[in-house]
Amino acid sequence: MEYDAGSDTLTISDSTLSFGGKIEDLPAKETDVTGNDGETKVEPSKLRDLTYSMSLSAGAITITGLKHDNGKFTAASWSYSDDTEFDVAGAVEGDGRLKMEGRLTGTLATNYSFTMPEIPPEDPEHPVSRWLPFATTSLLMSFAEIKVDSTGATMEAYAEADGQETLVLSGTLQMDGYRMANAVDGLIGEYTIDSVSQTLRTLDVKSGQMLGQTTRQGKTVYTDVNAAAILNLFDPDVAETGEEVTLVGSGSTIDYETTQDIAEGLSVAMAVEKASIADITVIKRDNNFLEMFDKLLNQTVPAPEELITNVFQFYRSFGVGDARISGISVDIPTHSGREHRPDHQGNGVDRPELQRNRRDADCRSRCAGASAGRIGQA
């Protein structure tokens, strides 16, 4: 570590932040609760240990104007060198493992302030809910801007059976122009991504082949994002008042394209020119999701009615004021060996390839008021 008093700059070289651990006796196998009468204990044969690790390393971290007062940190700027890398890995005992590796360039935060959250004490009866204050405090950041110019990542997942591993997923991700701006205590004024592209290959169990999927999208913009609003839905200390809280003021994306292989030589393609959404709101509904997850990690399966009620309460918490999609194009292959593309008047144009049906359409969904836009509300 080096400090330059003249420029009030702290430089940390060869930095690595890492953590990991093990969650024991996790209900990792599918459990059918529909026939249960009340809460039941998880069958011992369905319990697994989950190990995980995460790390972030950089050749240099440069911080200017760093101040600290009673757990709150502020900095004029906080940047990571362009050789920054991250690693994420997880494995479920006897079932499989997942790993992701990536790199970041152009990482910078300005006028950045945050409160260091306290690690919660051990509480075997509340292994999930004890982390709620930590998560809430972590989201209440303020900054002028946080940006990452480029993010690239690769991922792989393996299934394990009888001691043998099989590759079931591999892929790459490229994201350019990630930016958040004008945040005050977790309320983010603007959130943008210039472009995202992703390529995945997943194992088709029936054929034994790896099928590909590619996805691309252009500029994505969200405004007035309330990062802590979702956590309030789970917080038992937040009362159910019926008050609507804005989660996202507006959002839009352009030039979305995806292609999915469905068999060797056959694929489905879809494109959307533009999609937008406005006034995404949440209303707190009473639920005990955190209590339910605490019990799950203590090998107790919730009663069917408890699970259904919690899912429904969460579903009906969300509302949308306005949603629009325009310029939809879909290519669907059939086995006739010809391609069919209706023109704008619906007249067919055949080509000697796979037959595909394409429809261009505008789709708009508008809600007159809050009650009309409330999902799941009678």
Side-chain angles (χ1 to χ4, degrees):
M1 299 178 65
E2 296 181 1
Y3 177 69
D4 183 332
S7 61
D8 193 14
T9 300
L10 175 68
T11 303
I12 306 170
S13 300
D14 298 325
S15 166
T16 298
L17 172 66
S18 61
F19 64 95
K22 177 188 288 188
I23 302 176
E24 296 181 341
D25 295 332
L26 183 71
K29 290 289 188 177
E30 180 181 354
T31 300
D32 184 1
V33 303
T34 54
N36 292 355
D37 183 13
E39 294 181 349
T40 56
K41 299 297 286 185
V42 179
E43 299 175 25
S45 63
K46 294 184 177 180
L47 297 176
R48 296 290 188 273
D49 291 343
L50 169 66
T51 57
Y52 61 91
S53 64
M54 303 180 189
S55 69
L56 178 69
S57 60
I61 301 175
T62 305
I63 308 169
T64 62
L66 180 64
K67 294 181 175 64
H68 168 245
D69 181 22
N70 196 28
K72 184 174 182 178
F73 293 82
T74 61
S77 68
W78 191 306
S79 65
Y80 288 80
S81 56
D82 288 346
D83 58 357
T84 300
E85 298 180 347
F86 64 88
D87 293 276
V88 179
V92 177
E93 174 192 13
D95 285 343
R97 61 185 178 92
L98 169 71
K99 66 175 182 178
M100 176 182 288
E101 301 173 346
R103 47 108 184 126
L104 309 171
T105 62
T107 304
L108 171 67
T110 56
N111 294 333
Y112 181 44
S113 67
F114 64 95
T115 298
M116 181 67 73
E118 296 183 2
I119 301 294
E122 290 290 336
D123 188 348
E125 296 299 316
H126 304 92
V128 177
S129 60
R130 71 188 183 99
W131 288 97
L132 181 63
F134 181 95
T136 302
T137 302
S138 298
L139 290 177
L140 300 181
M141 299 179 294
S142 297
F143 49 82
E145 180 186 58
I146 291 179
K147 72 179 186 74
V148 181
D149 291 340
S150 178
T151 303
T154 61
M155 63 201 81
E156 292 181 347
Y158 296 84
E160 182 179 338
D162 300 325
Q164 298 294 319
E165 284 192 331
T166 302
L167 179 68
V168 295
L169 179 147
S170 66
T172 62
L173 170 71
Q174 179 64 42
M175 179 169 61
D176 296 323
Y178 177 92
R179 177 178 181 268
M180 296 187 292
N182 304 323
V184 179
D185 294 333
L187 299 176
I188 303 170
E190 186 178 37
Y191 178 103
T192 62
I193 300 173
D194 287 345
S195 65
V196 177
S197 61
Q198 177 179 279
T199 301
L200 292 176
R201 292 179 59 80
T202 55
L203 178 66
D204 178 47
V205 178
K206 292 183 65 175
S207 67
Q209 297 175 335
M210 298 292 285
L211 300 180
Q213 179 195 64
T214 59
T215 303
R216 300 180 182 86
Q217 70 184 58
K219 187 82 171 185
T220 301
V221 179
Y222 294 98
T223 63
D224 300 328
V225 179
N226 188 342
I230 289 292
L231 291 182
N232 289 339
L233 295 180
F234 301 101
D235 190 345
D237 293 332
V238 176
E240 182 179 2
T241 64
E243 178 186 0
E244 283 190 341
V245 177
T246 298
L247 178 63
V248 178
S250 66
S252 66
T253 188
I254 61 172
D255 300 334
Y256 175 85
E257 299 177 356
T258 183
T259 302
Q260 172 67 61
D261 293 343
I262 56 177
E264 187 174 4
L266 295 175
S267 62
V268 174
M270 183 181 77
V272 173
E273 291 179 2
K274 183 178 181 180
S276 65
I277 196 166
D279 194 22
I280 304 175
T281 57
V282 294
I283 293 178
K284 174 62 185 289
R285 311 285 189 185
D286 277 346
N287 64 79
N288 64 337
F289 260 113
L290 293 183
E291 179 184 345
M292 190 171 67
F293 284 116
D294 284 338
K295 290 179 179 179
L296 268 175
L297 291 188
N298 280 285
Q299 297 88 55
T300 299
V301 179
E305 60 272 18
E306 180 184 14
L307 179 60
I308 293 170
T309 300
N310 276 294
V311 170
F312 183 66
Q313 286 287 77
F314 185 72
Y315 167 75
R316 63 192 289 265
S317 296
F318 294 88
V320 177
D322 184 275
R324 301 167 183 247
I325 302 175
S326 61
I328 305 171
S329 176
V330 181
D331 286 354
I332 304 174
T334 65
H335 295 285
S336 69
R338 300 181 65 81
E339 181 180 6
H340 181 75
R341 293 185 178 181
D343 62 20
H344 293 296
Q345 289 74 40
N347 301 313
V349 180
D350 292 329
R351 299 186 180 185
E353 302 172 8
L354 288 175
Q355 178 174 310
R356 302 184 181 187
N357 299 315
R358 169 172 289 183
R359 170 173 290 181
D360 295 320
D362 286 341
C363 174
R364 293 183 176 88
S365 171
R366 304 192 64 179
C367 305
S371 61
R374 178 62 46 195
I375 299 174
Q377 178 168 315

Coordinates of all heavy atoms in Angstrom, one line a residue, residues 201 204 207 209-214 258-269 331-339 353-356:
R201 N -24.0 -22.9 -24.8 CA -24.3 -24.3 -25.3 C -24.7 -25.2 -24.2 O -24.0 -25.3 -23.1 CB -23.0 -24.8 -26.0 CG -22.6 -24.1 -27.3 CD -21.3 -24.6 -27.9 NE -21.4 -26.0 -28.2 CZ -22.0 -26.5 -29.3 NH1 -22.6 -25.6 -30.2 NH2 -22.0 -27.8 -29.6
D204 N -28.4 -31.3 -24.6 CA -29.8 -31.9 -24.8 C -29.7 -33.4 -24.4 O -29.0 -34.2 -25.0 CB -30.1 -31.8 -26.3 CG -31.5 -32.4 -26.6 OD1 -32.4 -32.2 -25.8 OD2 -31.6 -33.2 -27.5
S207 N -30.8 -36.2 -27.1 CA -29.9 -36.5 -28.2 C -28.4 -36.6 -27.8 O -27.6 -37.2 -28.5 CB -30.0 -35.4 -29.3 OG -29.5 -34.2 -28.7
Q209 N -26.5 -34.1 -27.6 CA -25.8 -33.1 -28.3 C -25.8 -31.8 -27.5 O -26.7 -31.5 -26.7 CB -26.4 -32.9 -29.7 CG -26.3 -34.1 -30.6 CD -27.0 -33.8 -31.9 OE1 -28.0 -33.0 -32.0 NE2 -26.6 -34.5 -33.0
M210 N -24.8 -30.9 -27.8 CA -24.8 -29.6 -27.2 C -25.5 -28.7 -28.2 O -25.1 -28.5 -29.3 CB -23.4 -29.1 -26.9 CG -22.6 -30.0 -25.9 SD -23.2 -29.9 -24.2 CE -22.6 -28.2 -23.8
L211 N -26.6 -28.0 -27.7 CA -27.3 -27.1 -28.5 C -27.0 -25.7 -28.2 O -26.8 -25.3 -27.0 CB -28.8 -27.3 -28.3 CG -29.3 -28.7 -28.7 CD1 -30.9 -28.8 -28.4 CD2 -29.0 -29.1 -30.1
G212 N -26.9 -24.8 -29.2 CA -26.4 -23.5 -29.0 C -27.5 -22.4 -28.8 O -28.6 -22.6 -29.4
Q213 N -27.2 -21.4 -28.2 CA -28.1 -20.2 -28.1 C -27.3 -18.9 -28.1 O -26.3 -18.8 -27.4 CB -28.9 -20.2 -26.8 CG -29.9 -19.0 -26.6 CD -30.4 -18.8 -25.2 OE1 -29.7 -18.6 -24.3 NE2 -31.7 -19.0 -25.1
T214 N -27.6 -18.0 -28.9 CA -26.9 -16.7 -29.0 C -28.0 -15.6 -28.7 O -29.1 -15.7 -29.2 CB -26.3 -16.5 -30.3 OG1 -27.2 -16.5 -31.4 CG2 -25.2 -17.5 -30.6
T258 N -32.2 -13.1 -30.6 CA -31.9 -14.4 -30.0 C -32.1 -15.5 -31.0 O -33.1 -15.5 -31.8 CB -32.6 -14.7 -28.7 OG1 -32.2 -15.9 -28.1 CG2 -34.1 -14.8 -29.0
T259 N -31.2 -16.5 -31.0 CA -31.3 -17.7 -31.8 C -31.1 -18.9 -30.9 O -30.1 -19.0 -30.2 CB -30.3 -17.7 -33.0 OG1 -30.5 -16.5 -33.8 CG2 -30.5 -19.0 -33.8
Q260 N -32.0 -19.9 -31.0 CA -32.0 -21.1 -30.2 C -32.0 -22.3 -31.0 O -32.9 -22.5 -31.8 CB -33.1 -21.1 -29.2 CG -33.3 -22.4 -28.4 CD -32.1 -22.6 -27.4 OE1 -31.9 -21.8 -26.5 NE2 -31.4 -23.7 -27.6
D261 N -30.9 -23.2 -30.9 CA -31.0 -24.5 -31.6 C -32.0 -25.4 -31.0 O -32.1 -25.4 -29.7 CB -29.6 -25.1 -31.5 CG -28.5 -24.4 -32.3 OD1 -28.9 -23.6 -33.2 OD2 -27.3 -24.7 -32.1
I262 N -32.8 -26.1 -31.8 CA -33.7 -27.0 -31.2 C -33.4 -28.5 -31.6 O -33.9 -29.4 -31.1 CB -35.2 -26.7 -31.7 CG1 -35.3 -26.6 -33.2 CG2 -35.7 -25.4 -31.0 CD1 -36.7 -26.4 -33.7
A263 N -32.5 -28.6 -32.6 CA -32.0 -29.9 -33.0 C -30.8 -29.5 -33.9 O -30.6 -28.4 -34.3 CB -33.0 -30.7 -33.7
E264 N -30.0 -30.5 -34.3 CA -28.9 -30.3 -35.2 C -29.4 -29.8 -36.5 O -30.2 -30.4 -37.2 CB -28.1 -31.6 -35.4 CG -26.8 -31.4 -36.2 CD -26.0 -32.6 -36.3 OE1 -26.4 -33.7 -35.8 OE2 -24.8 -32.5 -36.8
G265 N -28.9 -28.6 -36.9 CA -29.3 -28.0 -38.2 C -30.6 -27.2 -38.1 O -31.0 -26.6 -39.1
L266 N -31.3 -27.2 -37.0 CA -32.6 -26.5 -36.8 C -32.5 -25.5 -35.7 O -32.0 -25.8 -34.6 CB -33.8 -27.4 -36.6 CG -34.1 -28.4 -37.7 CD1 -35.2 -29.4 -37.2 CD2 -34.6 -27.7 -38.9
S267 N -33.0 -24.3 -36.0 CA -33.0 -23.2 -34.9 C -34.2 -22.3 -35.0 O -34.8 -22.2 -36.1 CB -31.7 -22.4 -35.0 OG -31.6 -21.7 -36.2
V268 N -34.6 -21.7 -33.9 CA -35.6 -20.7 -33.9 C -35.0 -19.4 -33.6 O -34.1 -19.3 -32.8 CB -36.6 -21.0 -32.7 CG1 -37.7 -19.9 -32.6 CG2 -37.3 -22.4 -33.0
A269 N -35.4 -18.3 -34.3 CA -34.9 -17.0 -34.1 C -36.0 -16.0 -33.9 O -37.1 -16.1 -34.4 CB -34.1 -16.6 -35.4
D331 N -38.8 -16.4 -36.5 CA -38.5 -17.5 -37.5 C -38.7 -18.8 -36.9 O -37.9 -19.1 -35.9 CB -37.1 -17.4 -38.2 CG -37.0 -16.2 -39.1 OD1 -38.1 -15.6 -39.4 OD2 -35.9 -15.9 -39.6
I332 N -39.6 -19.7 -37.3 CA -39.9 -21.0 -36.8 C -39.7 -22.0 -37.8 O -40.4 -22.0 -38.8 CB -41.3 -21.1 -36.1 CG1 -41.5 -20.0 -35.1 CG2 -41.5 -22.5 -35.5 CD1 -42.9 -19.9 -34.6
P333 N -38.8 -23.0 -37.7 CA -38.6 -24.0 -38.7 C -39.6 -25.1 -38.7 O -40.1 -25.4 -37.6 CB -37.1 -24.5 -38.4 CG -37.0 -24.3 -37.0 CD -37.8 -23.1 -36.6
T334 N -39.9 -25.6 -39.8 CA -40.7 -26.9 -39.9 C -40.0 -27.9 -40.8 O -38.8 -27.6 -41.1 CB -42.1 -26.6 -40.5 OG1 -41.9 -26.2 -41.9 CG2 -42.8 -25.5 -39.8
H335 N -40.6 -29.0 -41.1 CA -39.8 -30.0 -41.8 C -40.2 -30.1 -43.3 O -40.0 -31.2 -43.9 CB -40.1 -31.4 -41.1 CG -39.5 -31.4 -39.7 ND1 -38.2 -31.5 -39.5 CD2 -40.1 -31.3 -38.5 CE1 -37.9 -31.5 -38.2 NE2 -39.1 -31.4 -37.6
S336 N -40.8 -29.1 -43.9 CA -41.2 -29.2 -45.3 C -40.1 -28.9 -46.2 O -40.2 -29.2 -47.4 CB -42.3 -28.1 -45.5 OG -41.7 -26.8 -45.5
G337 N -38.9 -28.4 -45.7 CA -37.8 -28.2 -46.6 C -37.9 -26.9 -47.3 O -37.1 -26.6 -48.2
R338 N -38.9 -26.0 -47.0 CA -39.0 -24.7 -47.7 C -39.2 -23.6 -46.6 O -39.6 -23.9 -45.5 CB -40.2 -24.7 -48.6 CG -40.1 -25.8 -49.7 CD -41.4 -25.7 -50.6 NE -41.4 -24.4 -51.4 CZ -40.7 -24.2 -52.5 NH1 -39.9 -25.1 -53.0 NH2 -40.8 -23.1 -53.1
E339 N -38.9 -22.4 -47.0 CA -39.0 -21.3 -46.1 C -40.2 -20.4 -46.6 O -40.4 -20.1 -47.8 CB -37.8 -20.4 -46.2 CG -37.8 -19.3 -45.2 CD -36.6 -18.4 -45.2 OE1 -35.7 -18.8 -46.1 OE2 -36.5 -17.5 -44.4
E353 N -35.6 -23.6 -48.8 CA -34.9 -23.9 -47.6 C -35.8 -24.4 -46.6 O -37.0 -24.8 -46.9 CB -34.3 -22.5 -47.1 CG -33.3 -21.8 -48.1 CD -32.9 -20.5 -47.6 OE1 -33.2 -20.2 -46.4 OE2 -32.3 -19.7 -48.3
L354 N -35.4 -24.5 -45.3 CA -36.4 -24.8 -44.3 C -37.6 -23.9 -44.3 O -37.4 -22.7 -44.4 CB -35.7 -24.8 -42.9 CG -34.7 -25.9 -42.6 CD1 -34.1 -25.6 -41.3 CD2 -35.4 -27.3 -42.6
Q355 N -38.8 -24.4 -44.1 CA -39.9 -23.5 -44.0 C -39.9 -22.8 -42.7 O -39.7 -23.4 -41.6 CB -41.2 -24.3 -44.2 CG -42.4 -23.4 -44.0 CD -43.7 -24.1 -44.3 OE1 -43.8 -24.8 -45.3 NE2 -44.7 -24.0 -43.5
R356 N -40.1 -21.5 -42.7 CA -40.2 -20.7 -41.5 C -41.3 -19.7 -41.6 O -41.6 -19.2 -42.7 CB -38.9 -19.9 -41.3 CG -37.6 -20.8 -41.2 CD -36.4 -20.0 -40.9 NE -35.3 -20.9 -40.9 CZ -34.0 -20.5 -40.6 NH1 -33.8 -19.3 -40.2 NH2 -33.0 -21.4 -40.6

